[in-house]
Amino acid sequence: MSQEKHEFQAEVRQLLKLVVHSLYTHKEVFLRELLSNASDAVDKRRYAALTDPSLAPPESGPNGPYRIVLEAPPGGKTLSVSDNGIGMDRDELQKNLGTIARSGTQEFLERLKAVQGQNAPDLIGQFGVGFYSAFMAAEKVSVVSRKAGQEKAWRWESAGEGEFTLEEAERSEPGTTVELTLRKPEAGEPDFADAALLKRLVKRYSDFVPTPIELAGETLNSMTPLWTKPAKDITPEEHAGFYRRLARESEAPLESIRFSAEGASLRYDALLYVPAKAPLDWLLDPEKRGGIQLYSKRVFIMDDCRGLAPDYLRFLRGVVDCPDLPLNVSRETLQQDRSLGLIQERVTRKTLESLKALLENDRKKYEAFWGQFGRILKEGLYTDSAERDRLKELVLFETSRSEGLSTFKEYSARMPEGQKEVYYLCGDSRAALLQSPHLEALNEKGWEVVFFTDAVDEFVVGLLHDWDGKLLRSAREDLRLDEKHAAREEAEKAHPGLGEVLKSKLSGLAAEVRFSEKLTQSPSALVNEGAPSPAIEKAMRRAGHPVPEGRRILELNPSHPVVEKLAQAAKGDKDAQVVEEYAQLLYGLAALREGLPLPDGGKFSRLVADLMAR
Ligand code: ADP
């Protein structure tokens, strides 16, 4: 059959251009990418052969039937990576090696272009361009593949420019051979046909690939499944190497978690990692997850097995090997498997314990973790009531006292005598919250306020309820800072009925107008009693939900001079207009401070302008 020409998908063309022309210094990662594709293909065939034994290759070699073979014939012009994995048919070659399905690729390319130069290498390394990275080292790539269970083989070939060709080919066994026609290395560049270099690279990147990788008859990788070793026997280098392959990440993980169960009913080995950084493609694809791989007796079953960890621990990477699971378990039957739930409980508990230990023993590292994944972890406060107390201990926040991060435990230890509740405020940033009128009296008393500044916080604080029996209270609410309400009562005595008058002038905007116990500087503030918080109100508006009006209380600062003026005006009938204007202005000012919309912006600015003119 004749050769067919095909064009690459536009994104692939762009990607190839960048890959080929980038200044990428770690060209060598192409080998890691090809070896892990080969290993994935072997895993897939192994798995397929569980249900259809006719798909298995004949037994050969001391390590079992599966193998990956590197060949770099003398002459130094080519390097090939062959596997006897699942293989690809014609359509798969065309689809897998001609398009990119990954969402977010377009944005990735744009970012990559924007930073061409210094940062491009990091980005490429993090994203993992997979098969296409072969073109960093090769001027031509030829892939011959035969799918397991089929007779026909196909050759895919490309010089990494606009197009690739497809034609029928010969291959005696199922599997895939990727042959690179190497670019001539420039001075100082690595020569990928050099056996010593290949050996080093396999050790470095692919030591835990569970399939033997052979070069000239020698097996280069150790293949030890690290997750079966006791925690104390695993070296940091081994962790880093294993994690690198698992996560395709160049940076070492922040923390490792290793545990096993030996019970009669359920046995498993788990080796989990907390990454040091959220991978770049998480920014591009919010659905993206780290993912825990499920193995059974060292046979890979599936990637990102969701039942193994709750969503709020989705940053975890790792492996759970559970020999009691049936090998041909499907995603659907797994859902119903009770053992998965038991493992998840333990994964959750162990992870939270290890984060707690990190918090106690290495604060800097924990804060780095919190910066990356704190927001995700906080989702657990919402979704996992069983672990809420454990999660609460792990929460970090800024406060009105210091920019640094505190825990509830630390906050609580700093509470001065007399303070019985934990106060908090939600808002956009510490800088914005420091301006809040709700802090005034609390600041004067020296009572610290917790600042919650993540978008999710508004939705979770309500669930926190208390810390060690001390109630959590929003500083936006009606605070009982003075149990006798002396200041409030005194002011009411001095200006009887003033609140009622003002309320009537506000035509339903406020549920009540009264004197405040928490204002010492600002003239007025809106108290949130029973109303949704300003941020939640905003979210409701955005989502098109009706927002009940007039549920907040307008509080006046009894010591502010404007109150005295207002009281005078309210005494004389002829000043009714002034009282109404003052009421509107005081309400408007308070609304602005809360970031709430002005009920009538036009009127407000007219009143301010008039006042300026007077
Ligand atoms: P990724 O491996 O991240 O999915 P790649 O670009 O490296 O992306 O590969 C694209 C797809 O091509 C793979 O998902 C796989 O389906 C297929 N593929 C690549 N190499 C092989 C191989 N050696 N054997 C079988 N399939 C392969």
PDB file of all heavy atoms in Angstrom, residues 590-602:
ATOM      1  N   ALA A 590     -21.258  53.526  55.185  1.00  0.00           N
ATOM      2  CA  ALA A 590     -21.097  52.195  55.769  1.00  0.00           C
ATOM      3  C   ALA A 590     -21.121  51.125  54.677  1.00  0.00           C
ATOM      4  O   ALA A 590     -20.327  50.178  54.710  1.00  0.00           O
ATOM      5  CB  ALA A 590     -22.194  51.942  56.800  1.00  0.00           C
ATOM      6  N   ALA A 591     -22.006  51.305  53.693  1.00  0.00           N
ATOM      7  CA  ALA A 591     -22.097  50.322  52.605  1.00  0.00           C
ATOM      8  C   ALA A 591     -20.780  50.282  51.828  1.00  0.00           C
ATOM      9  O   ALA A 591     -20.265  49.211  51.495  1.00  0.00           O
ATOM     10  CB  ALA A 591     -23.264  50.662  51.676  1.00  0.00           C
ATOM     11  N   LEU A 592     -20.226  51.467  51.553  1.00  0.00           N
ATOM     12  CA  LEU A 592     -18.966  51.521  50.808  1.00  0.00           C
ATOM     13  C   LEU A 592     -17.863  50.755  51.532  1.00  0.00           C
ATOM     14  O   LEU A 592     -17.071  50.044  50.919  1.00  0.00           O
ATOM     15  CB  LEU A 592     -18.530  52.976  50.605  1.00  0.00           C
ATOM     16  CG  LEU A 592     -19.275  53.748  49.514  1.00  0.00           C
ATOM     17  CD1 LEU A 592     -18.820  55.201  49.494  1.00  0.00           C
ATOM     18  CD2 LEU A 592     -19.058  53.105  48.152  1.00  0.00           C
ATOM     19  N   ARG A 593     -17.818  50.929  52.847  1.00  0.00           N
ATOM     20  CA  ARG A 593     -16.764  50.261  53.616  1.00  0.00           C
ATOM     21  C   ARG A 593     -16.888  48.747  53.539  1.00  0.00           C
ATOM     22  O   ARG A 593     -15.909  48.020  53.700  1.00  0.00           O
ATOM     23  CB  ARG A 593     -16.810  50.680  55.093  1.00  0.00           C
ATOM     24  CG  ARG A 593     -16.670  52.165  55.344  1.00  0.00           C
ATOM     25  CD  ARG A 593     -15.272  52.688  55.184  1.00  0.00           C
ATOM     26  NE  ARG A 593     -14.258  52.103  56.028  1.00  0.00           N
ATOM     27  CZ  ARG A 593     -13.881  52.572  57.199  1.00  0.00           C
ATOM     28  NH1 ARG A 593     -14.479  53.620  57.721  1.00  0.00           N
ATOM     29  NH2 ARG A 593     -12.907  52.003  57.857  1.00  0.00           N
ATOM     30  N   GLU A 594     -18.111  48.261  53.350  1.00  0.00           N
ATOM     31  CA  GLU A 594     -18.332  46.815  53.272  1.00  0.00           C
ATOM     32  C   GLU A 594     -18.170  46.297  51.852  1.00  0.00           C
ATOM     33  O   GLU A 594     -18.306  45.105  51.602  1.00  0.00           O
ATOM     34  CB  GLU A 594     -19.757  46.459  53.722  1.00  0.00           C
ATOM     35  CG  GLU A 594     -20.040  46.715  55.175  1.00  0.00           C
ATOM     36  CD  GLU A 594     -19.131  45.933  56.094  1.00  0.00           C
ATOM     37  OE1 GLU A 594     -19.238  44.704  56.120  1.00  0.00           O
ATOM     38  OE2 GLU A 594     -18.288  46.555  56.762  1.00  0.00           O
ATOM     39  N   GLY A 595     -17.942  47.222  50.902  1.00  0.00           N
ATOM     40  CA  GLY A 595     -17.883  46.792  49.509  1.00  0.00           C
ATOM     41  C   GLY A 595     -19.259  46.433  48.972  1.00  0.00           C
ATOM     42  O   GLY A 595     -19.387  45.706  47.992  1.00  0.00           O
ATOM     43  N   LEU A 596     -20.308  46.946  49.618  1.00  0.00           N
ATOM     44  CA  LEU A 596     -21.667  46.685  49.122  1.00  0.00           C
ATOM     45  C   LEU A 596     -22.064  47.792  48.149  1.00  0.00           C
ATOM     46  O   LEU A 596     -21.577  48.911  48.250  1.00  0.00           O
ATOM     47  CB  LEU A 596     -22.645  46.670  50.303  1.00  0.00           C
ATOM     48  CG  LEU A 596     -22.552  45.465  51.228  1.00  0.00           C
ATOM     49  CD1 LEU A 596     -23.283  45.748  52.538  1.00  0.00           C
ATOM     50  CD2 LEU A 596     -23.131  44.236  50.535  1.00  0.00           C
ATOM     51  N   PRO A 597     -22.958  47.486  47.220  1.00  0.00           N
ATOM     52  CA  PRO A 597     -23.374  48.533  46.273  1.00  0.00           C
ATOM     53  C   PRO A 597     -24.183  49.609  47.002  1.00  0.00           C
ATOM     54  O   PRO A 597     -24.915  49.321  47.954  1.00  0.00           O
ATOM     55  CB  PRO A 597     -24.251  47.771  45.275  1.00  0.00           C
ATOM     56  CG  PRO A 597     -24.687  46.535  45.982  1.00  0.00           C
ATOM     57  CD  PRO A 597     -23.615  46.198  46.976  1.00  0.00           C
ATOM     58  N   LEU A 598     -24.038  50.867  46.554  1.00  0.00           N
ATOM     59  CA  LEU A 598     -24.844  51.947  47.119  1.00  0.00           C
ATOM     60  C   LEU A 598     -26.270  51.777  46.612  1.00  0.00           C
ATOM     61  O   LEU A 598     -26.477  51.465  45.445  1.00  0.00           O
ATOM     62  CB  LEU A 598     -24.301  53.298  46.636  1.00  0.00           C
ATOM     63  CG  LEU A 598     -22.977  53.735  47.244  1.00  0.00           C
ATOM     64  CD1 LEU A 598     -22.423  54.920  46.456  1.00  0.00           C
ATOM     65  CD2 LEU A 598     -23.163  54.096  48.700  1.00  0.00           C
ATOM     66  N   PRO A 599     -27.252  51.973  47.494  1.00  0.00           N
ATOM     67  CA  PRO A 599     -28.631  51.792  47.038  1.00  0.00           C
ATOM     68  C   PRO A 599     -28.971  52.781  45.921  1.00  0.00           C
ATOM     69  O   PRO A 599     -29.717  52.473  45.018  1.00  0.00           O
ATOM     70  CB  PRO A 599     -29.472  52.055  48.289  1.00  0.00           C
ATOM     71  CG  PRO A 599     -28.552  52.591  49.326  1.00  0.00           C
ATOM     72  CD  PRO A 599     -27.157  52.270  48.930  1.00  0.00           C
ATOM     73  N   ASP A 600     -28.400  54.001  45.987  1.00  0.00           N
ATOM     74  CA  ASP A 600     -28.669  54.985  44.943  1.00  0.00           C
ATOM     75  C   ASP A 600     -27.411  55.835  44.776  1.00  0.00           C
ATOM     76  O   ASP A 600     -27.231  56.852  45.441  1.00  0.00           O
ATOM     77  CB  ASP A 600     -29.881  55.844  45.352  1.00  0.00           C
ATOM     78  CG  ASP A 600     -30.256  56.846  44.262  1.00  0.00           C
ATOM     79  OD1 ASP A 600     -29.423  57.059  43.337  1.00  0.00           O
ATOM     80  OD2 ASP A 600     -31.359  57.402  44.327  1.00  0.00           O
ATOM     81  N   GLY A 601     -26.546  55.391  43.901  1.00  0.00           N
ATOM     82  CA  GLY A 601     -25.234  56.028  43.728  1.00  0.00           C
ATOM     83  C   GLY A 601     -25.361  57.482  43.300  1.00  0.00           C
ATOM     84  O   GLY A 601     -24.605  58.353  43.751  1.00  0.00           O
ATOM     85  N   GLY A 602     -26.331  57.760  42.432  1.00  0.00           N
ATOM     86  CA  GLY A 602     -26.511  59.127  41.935  1.00  0.00           C
ATOM     87  C   GLY A 602     -26.840  60.077  43.077  1.00  0.00           C
ATOM     88  O   GLY A 602     -26.235  61.138  43.222  1.00  0.00           O
TER      89      GLY A 602
END
